[in-house]
Structures are given as C-alpha cells and as structure tokens.
C-alpha cells in the first residue's frame, strides 16, 4: 500500500510540475505581449506602445525569479509594489516560526505576486514604478560615491593633521567634536542602557525588536558617535531623504564587549542579547537620533 501511495505521489508531482511549467510559459508569454493591455482606445494604445518600448525592464522584472520561487511578505510588498491588503487574498505557505522565535513567515509564489501586481497596476503602471525605483537607486549610488570621496578626503586630512604638518590648515575646515572622548563614552553607555530598557517579548514569546529615540543631538555629536568626529558637516555620510542611516556592529557602537549586550529576565528565566548589528538614523533638521535593532533569546 505504501509503495502504491508513493507511486501515486510521484505521478501527482510530475503532473503538477508539468502544469506549473506550462502555466509559467503561458503567463510569461501573455505578460510580454503589450497587446494584452490594450482595450481599443487611443490612450490605451499609446500606453501599450510605451510598454513595448520598455519591455526589457518589465521582462527582467518578470524573469528575475523562477515562477515557483518563494518570496517573503516583506519582499513581496517592496519588490512587487503591493500592500498587506493586496496580499490578503494571495495564497501563501507558512515557513518557520515556533515558540520563542515568533510566528511563521508568509511566503508567496513569484508567479502569484507578478499576477497580482499586474492586475493592480497594469503593465504600464509596473513599468513606471520600476523606472522610478531605478532612478532612486541611481541617485542613491551617486550619493554613496560622493560620500566615499568625502571619506577619502577626510582620511587624508586626518592623517596629515596627525603628522602635524597641516594641523593649522585643517582647523579652518574641520572642527573638533562637540564633546570630548569621555562625553561620547558616557553617551554610548546611556544609549546602551536605554536599549536594554526597551527589550522585551512579543505575545508569541519571541523577543521584540527595540528602538530608542534621543532628541537634541547635534551634527558634531552624531559624527562623533559614528567615529568621524572631524566631519561635522556630515559630508562623508549618505543622506536618504531627510535622514542619514548607518549600520554598525552592536558591540562596536556601544563600545562594550559582547557580554555587556545581554539582559536578564528573572521571572521568565531567560536571557536576551542585543542582535549583532544596530541601525542608527539621524535627522539633522530636527536633531533627532534613533537607534534600533533586534534581540536574541536564550535560556538562563
């Protein structure tokens, strides 16, 4: 009986695989044909022609993954321009999860996400969103290149100033950090204490993500926290919108060894540890600093 069941399962798998391949081929063919997005009006004909002109961008998006590849809900929203409401009626497969690590992750088929995105935005709408995203990424790349050049200049100036040859010249362009080393050290200790106070548990028993916000942080103080105390104009940082965002190893940012990143929860008899990295965001217009990260739980 078991042998017969296994044989039936293999035959069913082959039929499903063949059907998925056929559906994938037909869907790709339909999505690549701009005529499928015309309804006879002049406006739609123009949209179809524009879509054909940018077909490479659309096809690249469609064919980026195999149709049976799985995508997490977070990536589904980001890469397919969808919302939680859009995903409510899309079939998914729960993966992972469990006590102490949170609920399972909802994963969707690439094929279903493509269909849902095209159904919502239309082919031309998806192309516009892809073009806009490419422009944003290109601008970001340029900002990163400019920041990299600034970091190189900063390193050259720092090295020269350390030799004492150009200390007077650099004083006119680069100012010292607003606080001395001890002040920055005390600030890091205070931030670590605040981070631990914000650690806790989700209803599922998993460690919750934590976030702290600190007002009144000057550019000079932010630069010192980011280990670039002389860059008070933040030229070596990449700004995205109103924010500067940096990632650091948690132990390096807080200036402590790994053992200082833990917090003990006596009633629960467990220990939480701040995750390996923290994200630092700074908004100079309002002088607001925020630091966020995750936590890992282990037994006590």
């Amino acid at each position: 009986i078991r042998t017969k069941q296994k044989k039936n399962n293999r035959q069913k798998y082959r039929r499903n695989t063949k059907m998925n391949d056929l559906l994938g081929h037909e869907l790709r063919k339909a999505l690549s044909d701009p005529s499928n997005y015309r309804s006879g009006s002049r406006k739609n004909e123009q949209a179809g022609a524009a879509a054909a002109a940018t077909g490479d961008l659309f096809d690249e998006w469609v064919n980026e993954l195999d149709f049976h590849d799985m995508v997490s809900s977070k990536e589904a929203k980001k890469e397919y321009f969808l919302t939680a409401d859009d995903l409510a009626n899309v079939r998914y497969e729960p993966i992972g999860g469990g006590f102490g690590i949170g609920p399972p992750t909802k994963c969707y088929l690439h094929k279903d996400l493509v269909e849902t995105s095209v159904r919502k935005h239309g082919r031309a709408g998806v192309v516009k969103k892809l073009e806009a995203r490419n422009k944003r990424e290109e601008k970001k790349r340029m900002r990163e290149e400019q920041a990299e050049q600034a970091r190189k200049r900063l390193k050259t100036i720092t090295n020269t100033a350390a030799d004492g040859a150009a200390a007077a010249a650099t004083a006119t362009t680069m100012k010292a950090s607003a606080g001395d080393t001890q002040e920055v050290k005390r600030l890091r200790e205070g931030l670590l204490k605040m981070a631990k106070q914000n650690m806790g548990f989700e209803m599922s028993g998993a460690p919750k993500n934590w976030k702290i916000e600190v007002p009144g942080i000057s550019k000079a103080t932010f630069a010192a926290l980011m280990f670039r105390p002389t860059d008070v104009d933040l030229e070596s940082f990449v700004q995205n919108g109103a924010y500067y965002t940096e990632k650091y190893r948690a132990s390096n940012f807080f200036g402590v060894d790994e053992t200082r990143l833990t917090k003990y929860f006596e009633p629960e008899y467990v220990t939480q540890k701040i995750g390996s990295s923290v994200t630092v965001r700074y908004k100079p217009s309002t002088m607001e600093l925020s630091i966020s990260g995750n936590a890992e739980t282990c037994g006590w």
Side-chain angles (χ1 to χ4, degrees):
I1 294 175
R2 291 180 179 176
T3 303
K4 186 176 181 179
Q5 288 176 339
K6 290 181 179 179
K7 182 178 180 181
N8 290 337
N9 289 337
R10 285 196 298 269
Q11 290 175 345
K12 184 178 179 181
Y13 173 78
R14 292 192 187 101
R15 286 197 301 270
N16 290 340
T17 302
K18 186 176 181 180
M19 180 60 69
N20 287 337
D21 291 342
L22 179 61
L23 288 173
H25 173 74
E26 293 300 323
L27 179 59
R28 280 194 174 93
K29 183 178 178 182
L31 289 171
S32 299
D33 186 359
S35 64
N36 290 331
Y37 303 92
R38 300 177 186 175
S39 61
S41 68
R42 180 175 179 81
K43 181 178 180 180
N44 285 328
E45 288 178 359
Q46 292 173 344
T54 55
D56 290 343
L57 187 62
F58 182 82
D59 291 342
E60 181 181 346
W61 175 72
V62 171
N63 297 309
E64 185 176 4
L65 299 175
D66 291 334
F67 276 3
H68 62 269
D69 285 347
M70 306 298 291
V71 181
S72 68
S73 56
K74 181 179 179 180
E75 291 299 311
K77 296 173 187 177
K78 177 182 177 182
E79 300 297 332
Y80 300 85
F81 316 108
L82 299 173
T83 65
D85 291 338
D86 298 328
L87 296 174
N89 296 320
V90 181
R91 60 181 177 177
Y92 67 88
E93 180 178 344
I95 296 179
F99 181 78
I101 58 176
T105 300
K106 294 181 179 180
C107 292
Y108 304 83
L109 286 173
H110 170 62
K111 174 178 72 68
D112 294 338
L113 295 174
V114 168
E115 290 176 336
T116 303
S117 184
V118 172
R119 187 162 53 248
K120 176 181 181 179
H121 302 290
R123 187 184 195 279
V126 171
V127 169
K128 287 183 179 179
K129 289 183 176 295
L130 290 171
E131 290 176 334
R133 185 168 67 186
N134 283 356
K135 289 180 180 178
R136 290 194 300 270
E137 291 177 350
E138 177 62 20
K139 289 181 179 179
K140 181 181 178 181
R141 185 187 64 80
M142 292 179 63
R143 290 195 297 267
E144 289 174 347
E145 289 182 355
Q146 293 171 353
E148 179 62 25
Q149 293 299 321
R151 283 193 288 271
K152 290 180 179 179
R153 292 195 301 269
L154 181 64
K155 184 177 181 180
T156 301
I157 292 174
T158 302
N159 290 340
T160 305
D163 293 336
T170 57
T172 60
T173 56
M174 293 288 183
K175 299 178 182 178
S177 174
D180 59 25
T181 304
Q182 289 301 318
E183 289 184 27
V184 173
K185 182 179 179 180
R186 286 196 293 269
L187 178 56
R188 293 189 196 280
E189 292 175 351
L191 294 174
L192 176 58
K193 183 177 180 180
M194 293 173 63
K196 288 184 177 181
Q197 290 173 346
N198 279 268
M199 295 167 68
F201 299 89
E202 300 285 0
M203 292 296 294
S204 62
K208 71 176 183 179
N209 295 336
W210 56 269
K211 180 179 180 180
I212 59 177
E213 296 179 340
V214 184
I217 299 296
S218 66
K219 288 183 179 181
T221 303
F222 171 71
L225 281 172
M226 299 298 101
F227 309 100
R228 305 175 210 170
T230 57
D231 188 12
V232 295
D233 293 324
L234 309 184
E235 294 179 349
S236 64
F237 297 87
V238 180
Q239 184 171 10
N240 291 316
Y243 292 88
Y244 292 95
T245 304
E246 296 285 322
K247 274 195 173 184
Y248 284 97
R249 187 174 180 84
S251 57
N252 292 345
F253 177 78
F254 291 117
V256 297
D257 58 45
E258 296 286 339
T259 59
R260 293 279 307 280
L261 299 177
T262 58
K263 178 179 179 179
Y264 302 97
F265 293 83
E266 293 187 11
E268 293 82 4
Y269 294 99
V270 294
T271 301
Q272 279 194 16
K273 180 182 178 182
I274 293 176
S276 60
S277 65
V278 295
T279 300
V280 184
R281 299 186 74 199
Y282 178 62
K283 189 176 182 180
S285 60
T286 57
M287 301 177 68
E288 294 177 355
L289 176 75
S290 68
I291 306 164
S292 60
N294 64 344
E296 303 167 353
T297 301
C298 57
W300 188 2

